[in-house]
Amino acid sequence: MTPATVLFEARDNTGILRLNRPHRMNAVIERMYEELGAILDSLPSDPAVRALILTGAPPLPDNITSAGQPVKEAFCAGADLKHHADGGRTPTEKKAYIELAHATCLKLRTLPLPVIAAVNGPARGAGTELALNCDFVLMADTATLAFPETGLGTMVGGGVTRHLERTVGLARARELIYTGRVLNGPEAVQTGLALASVPADHLLSEAMALAARMTDKAPLSMALAKSLMERAPSLTLEESYAEETKAIVACMESRDWQEGIDAFKEKRRPIFKGV
């Protein structure tokens, strides 16, 4: 049986989703996008998962390069160029591949849960695009990320031309896309791309700790906050007030709102059910 290209487990109300092609530094192929999309589609209906961590599976001991060296640990090395190099795709197939990649990024971006990218090694191209579609990026100190597309004769995708400017500003976004400059963890924090850079062996525990600060919050409140913050740049100030009014009323009509009030009065932690 062909190994799954992604692995999923739930732990402490947090889903951990691992890109799982370590022999290819977790480079993406169509099947990986399809499997990612299927899992992302299932998560909103899973009450046991209140946050998601996306990371890369580490290489196995027998993962050796063609030069006889051990394969490096990676988050995602981008598109698997071996699958593109044969030139066998028709224009229609090329377009379908890109649309699949974009559909997967959109699912990640709009998932009604907080999503943390735990970048455990190199992220390039499509890998950096996946990370940037998460709510937060945490990086190992030794990890790196970059957009190498202009040096490969291709173009950034995954909404990067929109998301990157919002994250780091227009001038820095242009520089990163035009030059393909590689950023390490501390540099990514300095530019605003990453929330934190930590020792590699602490990365997953730090991501779990961040997730734990959100998994006990009201799921409806979290989903509405994420949706409105994503839409905010396209709304006028008056429209933002109106949308926030709708969101607050929706929360006040939920059982979780009453649970929050009761817990406050009773000086206890609320137990939210997402209804």
Side-chain angles (χ1 to χ4, degrees), residues 75-118:
F75 175 75
C76 174
D80 192 329
L81 296 183
K82 282 190 174 181
H83 282 247
H84 294 276
D86 61 11
R89 288 191 178 98
T90 66
T92 299
E93 290 169 336
K94 291 175 183 177
K95 184 172 183 287
Y97 169 79
I98 297 164
E99 289 175 340
L100 175 61
H102 285 173
T104 307
C105 287
L106 184 61
K107 289 178 181 182
L108 195 61
R109 187 83 182 184
T110 58
L111 189 71
L113 309 171
V115 184
I116 302 163

Side-chain angles (χ1 to χ4, degrees), residues 188-199:
V189 173
Q190 185 178 20
T191 62
L193 265 177
L195 184 65
S197 177
V198 301

Side-chain angles (χ1 to χ4, degrees), residues 128-268:
T128 309
E129 291 155 15
L130 286 171
L132 199 59
N133 277 285
C134 298
D135 295 289
F136 307 98
V137 176
L138 299 184
M139 290 183 65
D141 291 340
T142 53
T144 56
L145 53 79
F147 302 98
E149 284 88 346
T150 58
L152 295 170
T154 184
M155 170 63 187
V156 295
V160 165
T161 54
R162 174 184 183 273
H163 306 324
L164 191 59
E165 178 187 353
R166 288 179 60 186
T167 304
V168 302
L170 180 58
R172 184 66 70 200
R174 283 172 169 162
E175 185 242 344
L176 292 174
I177 292 172
Y178 294 2
T179 69
R181 180 164 69 92
V182 177
L183 300 178
N184 61 25
E187 289 170 329
V189 173
Q190 185 178 20
T191 62
L193 265 177
L195 184 65
S197 177
V198 301
D201 57 353
H202 293 173
L203 179 64
L204 187 57
S205 62
E206 289 288 336
M208 289 292 292
L210 176 59
R213 291 160 55 188
M214 296 177 281
T215 54
D216 64 348
K217 305 300 188 292
L220 177 60
S221 302
M222 189 72 69
L224 288 168
K226 178 170 180 174
S227 176
L228 287 184
M229 291 181 75
E230 179 64 24
R231 293 170 56 201
S234 65
L235 301 176
T236 65
L237 181 59
E238 292 77 10
E239 288 170 338
S240 290
Y241 286 144
E243 291 301 312
E244 288 172 359
T245 297
K246 294 177 186 177
I248 294 167
V249 170
C251 289
M252 293 175 72
E253 292 178 346
S254 71
R255 295 179 189 175
D256 277 350
W257 179 82
Q258 188 62 54
E259 168 62 13
I261 298 299
D262 292 343
F264 179 80
K265 290 191 299 184
E266 297 164 12
K267 294 182 170 54
R268 62 173 175 83

Side-chain angles (χ1 to χ4, degrees), residues 13 65 216:
N13 291 123
T65 68
D216 64 348

